[in-house]
Amino acid sequence: MTRPLPSLETPQAAPSLDRLVVLVANDMAAVNHIILDRMQSPVVLIPQLASHLIAAGGKRLRPLITLAAAQLCGYRGTRHQKLAACVEFIHTATLLHDDVVDDSLLRRGAASANAIFGNKSSVLVGDFLFSRAFQLMVEDGALRVLAVLSEASAVIAEGEVHQLLTTGDLATTEAQYLDVISAKTAVLFAAAAEVGAVVAERPEEEIQALRRFGTKLGIAFQLIDDALDYAASEAALGKTVGDDFREGKVTLPVILAYARGTADERAFWHRTIEDLEQTDADLARAQALIDQHGTVRETVERARQVGEEAKAELLRFPDLPIRRSLMEAIDFAVSRGY
Amino acid sequence: MTRPLPSLETPQAAPSLDRLVVLVANDMAAVNHIILDRMQSPVVLIPQLASHLIAAGGKRLRPLITLAAAQLCGYRGTRHQKLAACVEFIHTATLLHDDVVDDSLLRRGAASANAIFGNKSSVLVGDFLFSRAFQLMVEDGALRVLAVLSEASAVIAEGEVHQLLTTGDLATTEAQYLDVISAKTAVLFAAAAEVGAVVAERPEEEIQALRRFGTKLGIAFQLIDDALDYAASEAALGKTVGDDFREGKVTLPVILAYARGTADERAFWHRTIEDLEQTDADLARAQALIDQHGTVRETVERARQVGEEAKAELLRFPDLPIRRSLMEAIDFAVSRGY
């Protein structure tokens, strides 16, 4: 009779990114080197401001996806390292502009770049990182990669404008909300995964499967982000809780709570989200209404479903440690912050 | 005995862009079509905001340079049209972000996009146009073109950050000032001219000559812009006069006036430019000091010299109408607004 040894590998352990991080550690070290090298400039404010955000850590989730996708496809070269750095630069540029647009004072639990360096610097350094991202992909030289990433950038910007327009608009439908999060978040996850498969020169079906995987992971990730904004403690989240509420963003927890609300509750949402007339007690009431209607729970449940669809896209690939750790990454994405 | 007929072609006529515009009119019509087509988006705020700036006219100077350079090189295809549109998109994205950074309320004599649509929209639509520019150049597919334009974008952003840092700093040297205007203005003129020669597949010496032509034209153009900010009437300039002064920008007319100023005058510049403590009468005093020291005149004279150097770069090309009208465009650039 055998007794199983206690192991960190048991399925009972909380899902984490750790195994994925270990599997791509060498590549990620190269990516970090490229990132630090290519954010340099004789204009010293540029590396100062960029390193505030880039060196401050974050999970490097998007470059992680590029590296993992390339490994899953059996890629043996180094092109994916530069492209992973490129994806992180696009993401960082977007964050810098996001924080300006949202007037955010916190990012990953620390003061945001615009809070320290000002909006003007954040706009211009964002432009620099964005341009630097394009230089990195031009150096790669593959037109397919250039098309994927330049298309992703345009769709992200389009999604950000769309989000600006739905802000404060309680008539936003679930479909419009899904369009916004697909464009502003999922497209970069999709591109990150796709370029990993493209450099490995895999057949088109595998490239498209990884693209769909990225899209679904990105949607699940953003659904959880939007749920956490009403559910988490600031310590766990590393950003100001209630940001979306204070900015009047119409996310799924609000869309569902508004749809199920009484006339009195709807009046509350109109005043706080549409008119942005908020008192100190309003965030607590918003959280109570969302709790009462179970809409955070439902948002998380949708993220779980989309996460399962993302996992299914990986089944056509060999059952290697990298595949198992990518699946665990999905579980991590939908369980973080709880 | 022959008597010359009176003619619009006499050298006495004020230099204008008219002849250049006529020579590339068919190409420019195609460029305008591409611009209008490619700024479309289902997110209607994007074409609304973009058309406010793009359709509002402006001289389309940068795409004009691309089209003229290609024609000067004997190019017969259509690739230059898409690339000229790409150059205009990069320029427009930069203007949108510039106006946000400078809090400008006027642009080309009309309300600026940020004044009408808000800073947030201007930042995000700028990002969209910038991404769309990259998509256009990816569609062209030539890595040399991609390298030139992505490098230009990074240098422009670097120059904008550098300018932000020299703002309010009276210790800025002439060399630093020239670095800033080379990066933020001349680099896009240089790239615009270079890609015209690149699509025509001319020898490297001709490509480099056109690049230098673009650089020098851009420097002359910006020197005049900085002179006009202290010299012109608002009606002639189509922008608010005194913007640079009010924003504490340290441009050549100020650098020279400060260097030649008395202790009392230097105290004036410190208070108004460094501390940004300005009264309604201060712009008039700044203009009087600049007039007294002749520093607008000297700035214009430098522009004329650089303009002559730009003309010299064209001498290796055939003496065709397009070459003569490009030379006239330089004369126009250094004489505008007077």
Side-chain angles (χ1 to χ4, degrees), chain B residues 122-141:
Chain B
S122 285
V123 169
L124 298 175
V125 174
D127 289 349
F128 175 81
L129 292 176
F130 199 44
S131 303
R132 197 35 66 84
F134 276 100
Q135 286 187 286
L136 282 165
M137 59 182 109
V138 170
E139 287 170 21
D140 178 71

Side-chain angles (χ1 to χ4, degrees), chain A residues 184-199:
Chain A
K184 76 167 192 145
T185 306
V187 159
L188 192 55
F189 279 74
E194 182 173 357
V195 298
V198 168
V199 294

Side-chain angles (χ1 to χ4, degrees), chain A residues 51 125 129-130 146 151 241 254 270 308:
Chain A
S51 67
V125 174
L129 292 176
F130 199 44
L146 281 157
E151 160 88 11
V241 163
V254 172
H270 281 288
E308 291 305 314

Side-chain angles (χ1 to χ4, degrees), chain A residues 119-120, chain B residues 96-106 112 114-115 119 240 243 247 249:
Chain A
N119 283 340
K120 299 175 179 196
Chain B
L96 285 173
H97 288 185
D98 260 8
D99 283 344
V100 169
V101 168
D102 293 342
D103 299 315
S104 300
L105 299 178
L106 278 181
S112 61
N114 50 310
N119 282 340
T240 329
D243 270 350
E247 292 158 15
K249 279 194 186 150

Side-chain angles (χ1 to χ4, degrees), chain A residues 41 97 101 120 127 130 158, chain B residues 41 97 101 120 127 130 158:
Chain A
S41 161
H97 288 185
V101 168
K120 299 175 179 196
D127 288 349
F130 199 44
E158 213 166 31
Chain B
S41 161
H97 288 185
V101 168
K120 300 175 178 195
D127 289 349
F130 199 44
E158 213 166 29

Side-chain angles (χ1 to χ4, degrees), chain A residues 40-46 93-94 97-98 100-103 119-121 123-125 127-132 134-135 137-138 141-143 146-147 150-155 157-162 164-165, chain B residues 40-46 93-94 97-98 100-103 119-121 123-125 127-132 134-135 137-138 141-143 146-147 150-155 157-162 164-165:
Chain A
Q40 295 310 310
S41 161
V43 181
V44 291
L45 177 60
I46 291 175
T94 306
H97 288 185
D98 260 7
V100 169
V101 168
D102 293 343
D103 300 315
N119 283 340
K120 299 175 179 196
S121 304
V123 169
L124 297 176
V125 174
D127 288 349
F128 175 81
L129 292 176
F130 199 44
S131 304
R132 200 29 70 84
F134 276 99
Q135 286 187 285
M137 58 181 110
V138 171
L143 284 175
L146 281 157
S150 63
E151 160 88 11
S153 297
V155 172
E158 213 166 31
E160 298 276 355
V161 179
H162 195 181
L164 195 60
L165 295 174
Chain B
Q40 295 311 311
S41 161
V43 181
V44 290
L45 178 61
I46 291 175
T94 306
H97 288 185
D98 260 8
V100 169
V101 168
D102 293 342
D103 299 315
N119 282 340
K120 300 175 178 195
S121 305
V123 169
L124 298 175
V125 174
D127 289 349
F128 175 81
L129 292 176
F130 199 44
S131 303
R132 197 35 66 84
F134 276 100
Q135 286 187 286
M137 59 182 109
V138 170
L143 284 174
L146 281 157
S150 64
E151 161 88 11
S153 297
V155 172
E158 213 166 29
E160 299 275 354
V161 180
H162 195 183
L164 196 60
L165 296 174

